[in-house]
């Protein structure tokens, strides 16, 4: 088992640079491993674990689950991105479910405190990667102390990322990493966290999500609707073992990929820093108040009732709804991919047309890997479409009084209302309305010019 587990938020690539945006986190991990190998007797390769390869579109690996539930010490890298990541919130939950106890309370190494602010033993050792204001931290992390008397003002101001990036702070970075490694060893030698359940990752909740809503403060909610059969109503076709008690148990790529497709989509959405809300299509009567992705079992199209409901879904004004039809090439007696695509287009022509224009195919195959590569693009596209059509909302309350340079006073709310009614008709010599911010030739004027032209 690894001595420590490094939990951090992946920085997404922007597509313009091949450089790994998490390069400096990898350097920190290597430096910590070198220190811990020198401070302990851990075998080679067992100093620490970090998720190096998993990006958006992938699901939990068995190695990650085993490492998180067997490591001695949990090291979260605090940053603004960390606390909006559902993935990191689930890692925090799973480790927090492991009860901790003192190994030898009468012989704590260097008499270092190894408890949280409530006095309970803890095997969590936070590190500040980038400073986060106190008010932006979730309540669940505030009991764990992350600043100690050994930390310098530079560390508190810039975090490990800032110290690592600036050559003039090289000595500060080296000292901070050494102290962090010492702290990890102090806790690892003094506190025991009981082994956890690797399967807990599949059902863990996001510890950082607000309790009152499943969506983040930034509004990155994503509805994932699953339209599929169940044991009670299995569609005609191969693989009755692909279905379960509810449509959410649909596993189109079983046995190669035994997980439900809704679970795969939820993990991918969490990787993209959405707050996924997975539900049955039959229960999603009301339009989503955010982007939406529908996962459709094409065999439902053979049922007249489902065809009618899906046709109704297609005609609604749901511009921010993506459609994905998983197709398993291993189903020898199933229709070919182009036949499935034609069948889907006949029932959902609007959905198919919109995604074809965006160059996102609707039918995805031949296996779960292809689905994992394509699904993130559809999710991001649906989110972009939602933002594009969203209507700006004016905050409640009276508007700010309009300031008049020539009048020496501000207009009253009644005068503002009158101005708004009369301004479009101020020029009676033209048939077109005049933009108050442009001249007669359509060129932009600055604020001073507008005020000078005002009577």
């Amino acid at each position: 088992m690894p001595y420590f587990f490094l939990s951090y938020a992946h920085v997404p690539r922007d597509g313009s640079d091949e450089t790994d945006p998490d390069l400096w986190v990898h350097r920190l991990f290597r430096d910590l491993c070198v220190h811990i190998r020198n401070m302990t007797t851990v075998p080679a390769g067992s100093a620490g674990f970090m998720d190096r390869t998993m990006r958006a579109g992938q699901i939990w690996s068995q190695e990650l689950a085993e490492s998180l539930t067997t490591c001695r010490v949990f090291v979260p890298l605090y940053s603004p991105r960390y606390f909006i990541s559902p993935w990191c919130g689930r890692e925090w939950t799973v480790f927090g479910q492991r009860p901790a106890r003192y190994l030898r309370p009468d012989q704590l190494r260097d008499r270092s405190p190894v408890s949280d602010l409530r006095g309970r033993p803890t095997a969590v050792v936070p590190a500040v990667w980038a400073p986060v204001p106190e008010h932006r931290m979730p309540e669940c992390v505030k009991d764990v102390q992350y600043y100690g008397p050994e930390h310098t003002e530079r560390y508190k101001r810039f975090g490990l990322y800032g110290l690592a990036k600036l050559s003039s702070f090289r000595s500060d970075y080296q000292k901070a990493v050494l102290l962090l490694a010492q702290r990890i060893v102090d806790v690892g030698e003094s506190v025991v966290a009981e082994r956890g359940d690797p399967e807990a990752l599949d059902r863990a909740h996001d510890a950082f999500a607000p309790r009152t809503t499943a969506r983040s403060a930034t509004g990155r909610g994503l509805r994932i609707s699953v339209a599929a059969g169940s044991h009670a109503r299995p569609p005609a076709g191969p693989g009755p073992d692909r279905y379960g008690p509810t449509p959410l148990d649909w596993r189109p790529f079983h046995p190669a990929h035994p997980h439900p497709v809704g679970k795969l989509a939820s993990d991918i959405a969490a990787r993209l820093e959405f707050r996924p809300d997975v539900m049955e299509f039959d229960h999603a009567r009301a339009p989503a108040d955010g982007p939406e992705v529908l996962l459709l079992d094409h065999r439902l199209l053979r049922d007249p009732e489902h065809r009618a409901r899906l046709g109704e879904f297609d005609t609604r004004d749901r511009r921010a709804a993506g459609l994905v039809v998983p197709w398993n090439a291993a189903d020898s007696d199933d229709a070919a991919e182009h036949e499935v695509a034609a069948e889907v287009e006949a029932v959902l022509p609007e959905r198919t047309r919109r995604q074809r224009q965006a160059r996102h195919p609707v039918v995805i195959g031949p296996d779960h890997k292809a689905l994992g590569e394509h699904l993130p693009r559809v999710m991001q596209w649906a989110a972009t479409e939602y933002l594009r059509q969203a209507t700006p909302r004016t905050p409640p309350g009276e508007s700010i009084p309009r300031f008049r340079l020539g009048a020496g006073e501000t207009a009253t709310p009644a005068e503002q209302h009158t101005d708004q009614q009369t301004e479009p008709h101020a020029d009676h010599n033209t048939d077109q309305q005049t933009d108050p911010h442009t001249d007669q030739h359509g060129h932009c004027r600055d604020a001073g010019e507008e005020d000078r032209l005002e009577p």
Side-chain angles (χ1 to χ4, degrees), residues 398-413:
E398 292 188 2
S399 60
I400 299 176
R402 180 179 173 185
F403 181 73
R404 298 177 182 271
L405 287 178
E409 59 182 5
T410 59
T412 65

Side-chain angles (χ1 to χ4, degrees), residues 119 223 253 390 431:
R223 176 193 286 182
F253 300 105
D431 294 332

Side-chain angles (χ1 to χ4, degrees), residues 295-314:
L295 303 176
L296 172 63
D297 181 358
H298 70 92
R299 296 184 182 89
L300 290 185
L301 299 177
R302 303 166 188 171
D303 177 64
E305 180 181 347
H306 278 103
R307 286 176 66 94
R309 286 213 55 224
L310 290 166
E312 179 186 354
F313 171 84
D314 187 61

Side-chain angles (χ1 to χ4, degrees), residues 79-86 136 206 208 216 218 273 275:
S79 69
R81 190 177 296 277
Y82 187 82
F83 293 119
I84 65 170
S85 169
R136 293 181 58 185
D206 176 7
F208 304 151
S216 70
T218 57
E273 297 180 359
R275 303 282 179 183

Side-chain angles (χ1 to χ4, degrees), residues 145-156:
Q145 185 173 354
Y146 56 97
Y147 281 140
E150 71 277 9
H151 293 131
T152 65
E153 289 301 318
R154 284 180 175 175
Y155 172 81
K156 297 177 181 179

Side-chain angles (χ1 to χ4, degrees), residues 177-250:
V177 175
L178 179 61
L179 290 174
L180 177 58
Q182 288 178 336
R183 179 65 174 162
I184 292 172
V185 174
D186 287 343
V187 172
E189 300 298 323
S190 305
V191 176
V192 175
E194 296 182 8
R195 181 182 294 267
D197 178 14
E199 300 299 325
L201 276 174
D202 290 335
R203 55 182 182 273
H205 71 277
D206 176 7
F208 304 151
R211 295 184 179 181
T212 57
T213 176
R215 300 172 58 192
S216 70
T218 57
R220 285 181 61 85
L222 176 70
R223 176 193 286 182
I224 300 173
S225 304
V226 181
S230 63
H231 283 163
R233 297 183 63 183
D241 54 349
R242 308 278 175 87
Y243 302 98
T246 72
L248 299 183
D249 299 301
W250 176 42

